Amino acid sequence: VHAAAPALRRVDALGMVGGGLEDYLEIHVPVLDIYENNLSSYQQLQADGREVWFYTAWGPQGHYPNRMIDSMAIKPRVLSWINMRYGATGYLHWALNWWDIPLTEMSSPGDQYLVWPGNRFIINSSLRFESHREGLDDWQHMLDLVDSLTAQGMDRETAQELIRSKAATMVRSAQDYSRSWEDYESLFHSVD
């Protein structure tokens, strides 16, 4: 693929670290628990010029944030904070609207139903989708804060570290994060 289309970036969702694929992908996308447990390996890939995202699908579950029907509503919002906390530059979800899989068929309630079918080619949102959208807005706001601090004369790396340290007060790890909506809102009032 790379020989035929060198400008095309290769991406794959991975359930393992390495596996000999390091030189064959420009974007590595491990599942969230593998990403967290092998963070230094993925940060090294980033230092070597690779991009790193993470993903959720039917897993991980438990304390990890995900977008299941029976999860706390804050969990989808936390996903983008993990991006900022650890420096991942993207997020992948395998099934936004896989409606032909019955809700009762997998041990992941609602994973394939993040949005609902509607009339006239319009989807119906869900609380989980809206929570994730708020997290994406938060992430964009944090990136904008980095740009603003840089424009005010702060070194970009220092600005990124400042905002990441603020994100770390909300997300101490991928399984230890604030469950308070007010905490997430307050971050933006604490950065001058």
Side-chain angles (χ1 to χ4, degrees):
V1 170
H2 191 64
L8 184 66
R9 297 186 318 154
R10 297 162 295 177
V11 60
D12 200 357
L14 306 168
M16 62 183 185
V17 179
L21 298 174
E22 295 81 6
D23 294 332
Y24 296 98
L25 298 173
E26 285 73 39
I27 305 171
H28 294 254
V29 188
V31 69
L32 178 55
D33 54 341
I34 291 175
Y35 174 63
E36 179 190 34
N37 292 325
N38 299 280
L39 188 58
S40 61
S41 297
Y42 289 109
Q43 288 172 332
Q44 184 58 53
L45 283 172
Q46 288 176 303
D48 293 342
R50 300 296 195 263
E51 192 169 343
V52 175
W53 302 359
F54 68 86
Y55 81 97
T56 62
W58 63 271
Q61 295 185 27
H63 291 292
Y64 282 100
N66 207 324
R67 303 186 307 180
M68 308 298 173
I69 286 175
D70 59 354
S71 294
M72 294 184 316
I74 194 78
K75 283 187 171 187
R77 188 174 188 177
V78 172
L79 293 166
S80 295
W81 287 77
I82 291 172
N83 283 95
M84 181 53 73
R85 166 78 166 92
Y86 294 125
T89 56
Y91 170 81
L92 172 74
H93 189 276
W94 76 275
L96 175 74
N97 59 349
W98 207 335
W99 301 317
D100 61 332
I101 299 175
L103 279 172
T104 57
E105 239 186 67
M106 297 167 65
S107 57
S108 56
D111 182 43
Q112 67 275 24
Y113 281 79
L114 190 59
V115 294
W116 303 92
N119 297 327
R120 299 180 44 94
F121 308 106
I122 298 172
I123 60 169
N124 294 309
S125 190
S126 70
L127 292 175
R128 295 169 293 135
F129 187 69
E130 293 301 317
S131 176
H132 194 184
R133 184 197 53 76
E134 285 187 17
L136 291 169
D137 287 346
D138 293 342
W139 187 20
Q140 182 61 57
H141 193 66
M142 287 184 272
L143 294 172
D144 291 344
L145 283 170
V146 169
D147 289 343
S148 176
L149 292 168
T150 303
Q152 294 172 29
M154 186 180 285
D155 172 77
R156 185 162 197 79
E157 190 172 309
T158 303
Q160 286 174 329
E161 191 52 44
L162 173 64
I163 300 304
R164 281 193 184 141
S165 71
K166 295 287 187 179
T169 65
M170 303 299 157
V171 176
R172 292 162 292 283
S173 77
Q175 296 185 74
D176 180 16
Y177 46 87
S178 174
R179 269 74 168 173
S180 166
W181 291 89
E182 291 81 16
D183 286 351
Y184 291 95
E185 300 294 327
S186 72
L187 173 88
F188 302 115
H189 302 293
S190 66
V191 179
D192 296 321

